[in-house]
Amino acid sequence: SQRRESFAWRIVPVGTVRITGAADVQGDRLKWGVYAWGIGLSCWRIDGGTIIGDPQAEASWRELDQVLDRGYADTWGRRWRIDAFGVDTGYLSQRVYAWARRHAAERRVYAVDGRGGWKLPPLLRPRRVTVNLVGRAVGKVLLWPVGTWDLKSELYAALRRTIEGPDADGRWPPGAMHFSEACDEEFFRELTAEHLTVRERAGGLVERIWIKDRTTPNEEHDIQVYSRALVHHLTDAWTPEEWVKEAARLGQPPEAAQRDLLHWIQPAPSAPTEGAAPAAPPSTTTATQPAESPRAVNEPRRFFRRGTGHSSLMN
């Protein structure tokens, strides 16, 4: 919490290329969060909240509709939408399936199911599940398994970069997480509510497993892991050149995007400041012009990587 920054809440930071979010379902609420992502998977938590109410009630999901449709302004007043949003199906699965089915045509809502184990991809092959409401089948929806353990390790590696903080020139390590003053102590307790431990198995073998703190909710932890899985899904197939091109299209000068990418691949002292405001608006030849709707600003690619691992930010 000592690394909180004074950036504006619900504003898209310069250098953002994608926005993802996720929600966790509890007995009396839906908790959700939204993250902006840049080169090296640096990220900023730009929004979050809790919808108090019975998740069985349609009113709670209508409020989540409003979250999904919320637009976020950037430095130049353009509106961005959330590119991908996941909802954990571990509780009240059918209600989650129904909400995901409602948004199926948009292709940016994911019904997700966390899976333990190492060396799993962020999103595994999805399967179709039946949506049952009031005792009858109303359709099908894709259920996306998420390989959570490597993503949890990646999350803690990112937090170490945040704790490390900026260098003498104010430059943050690529892959660091950025939190505004809107994040309170309870948020950080939930974000770090799981830890690695070693368990002995039969035959004297040992394995590393993730354990939840019994006294602390882990909702913010899960929200970040699912948000991270989705940004991997949207960007893991990009080449370095595509990263630079996309960052430039969305407002970061090409030369700055190139330096960010090189710093991510091979850290160097000359990396630019993460999230710093530009001296002037982006050139019309390198960035998208103000759009009437967030959909025109950042339309995500759609692909699925079968049976692959994912890039790791851990050294």
Side-chain angles (χ1 to χ4, degrees), residues 10-309:
R10 295 178 180 170
I11 297 295
V12 177
V14 173
T16 296
V17 295
R18 287 293 181 265
I19 298 176
T20 66
D24 189 72
V25 184
Q26 297 294 320
D28 61 351
R29 64 193 181 277
L30 303 175
K31 181 170 277 192
W32 56 274
V34 178
Y35 288 85
W37 302 87
I39 286 176
L41 297 192
S42 297
C43 70
W44 297 260
R45 183 176 184 261
I46 62 171
D47 203 0
T50 303
I51 297 169
I52 300 297
D54 183 1
Q56 290 277 20
E58 179 64 17
S60 297
W61 297 97
R62 290 298 179 188
E63 286 194 49
L64 195 61
D65 287 339
Q66 296 174 20
V67 170
L68 181 66
D69 292 336
R70 181 175 291 176
Y72 297 94
D74 64 15
T75 304
W76 303 284
R78 299 171 302 186
R79 290 181 65 237
W80 295 53
R81 70 170 188 171
I82 297 171
D83 292 297
F85 193 90
V87 184
D88 190 354
T89 61
Y91 178 64
L92 294 181
S93 302
Q94 291 299 327
R95 290 300 304 171
V96 178
Y97 296 162
W99 190 75
R101 181 175 179 271
R102 179 192 302 169
H103 294 279
E106 301 174 46
R107 300 184 66 188
R108 61 191 179 116
V109 168
Y110 294 73
V112 295
D113 177 26
R115 300 292 175 84
W118 298 105
K119 304 303 180 183
L120 297 176
L123 293 188
L124 290 80
R125 182 191 295 275
R127 63 183 177 90
R128 292 192 176 277
V129 295
T130 301
V131 183
N132 288 292
L133 287 180
V134 293
R136 65 186 182 90
V138 296
K140 291 184 178 293
V141 70
L142 289 177
L143 175 62
W144 294 83
V146 175
T148 61
W149 282 16
D150 288 88
L151 291 169
K152 293 172 190 285
S153 295
E154 187 175 298
L155 162 60
Y156 279 89
L159 288 173
R160 286 195 293 272
R161 291 182 173 91
T162 302
I163 293 170
E164 177 186 337
D167 63 19
D169 295 323
R171 297 163 177 155
W172 284 83
M177 301 179 69
H178 301 266
F179 305 102
S180 76
E181 293 171 345
C183 299
D184 58 17
E185 293 294 335
E186 179 59 27
F187 166 82
F188 289 106
R189 281 193 291 269
E190 288 195 16
L191 184 66
T192 57
E194 298 195 19
H195 65 277
L196 266 178
T197 189
V198 175
R199 179 175 64 183
E200 185 171 348
R201 301 176 61 185
L205 298 176
V206 296
E207 63 177 350
R208 294 179 305 137
I209 61 172
W210 286 96
I211 298 295
K212 177 188 175 298
D213 183 343
R214 295 181 180 178
T215 64
T216 306
N218 65 341
E219 294 158 42
E220 293 292 354
H221 179 91
D222 287 349
I223 288 167
Q224 219 292 316
V225 167
Y226 289 137
S227 299
R228 187 172 290 270
L230 291 174
V231 74
H232 272 291
H233 182 61
L234 296 179
T235 65
D236 270 2
W238 290 2
T239 65
E241 292 76 18
E242 287 176 311
W243 271 101
V244 172
K245 181 179 179 181
E246 188 68 0
R249 184 180 76 83
L250 295 171
Q252 188 174 13
E255 61 278 7
Q258 184 69 54
R259 289 197 304 269
D260 278 356
L261 190 65
L262 289 174
H263 188 62
W264 176 29
I265 297 172
Q266 184 175 4
S270 59
T273 303
E274 291 282 352
S283 165
T284 56
T285 61
T286 60
T288 306
Q289 290 301 297
E292 293 183 359
S293 72
R295 198 170 293 221
V297 175
N298 55 344
E299 187 68 28
R301 300 170 183 231
R302 301 295 168 191
F303 62 88
F304 178 64
R305 303 180 68 195
R306 297 182 181 177
T308 61

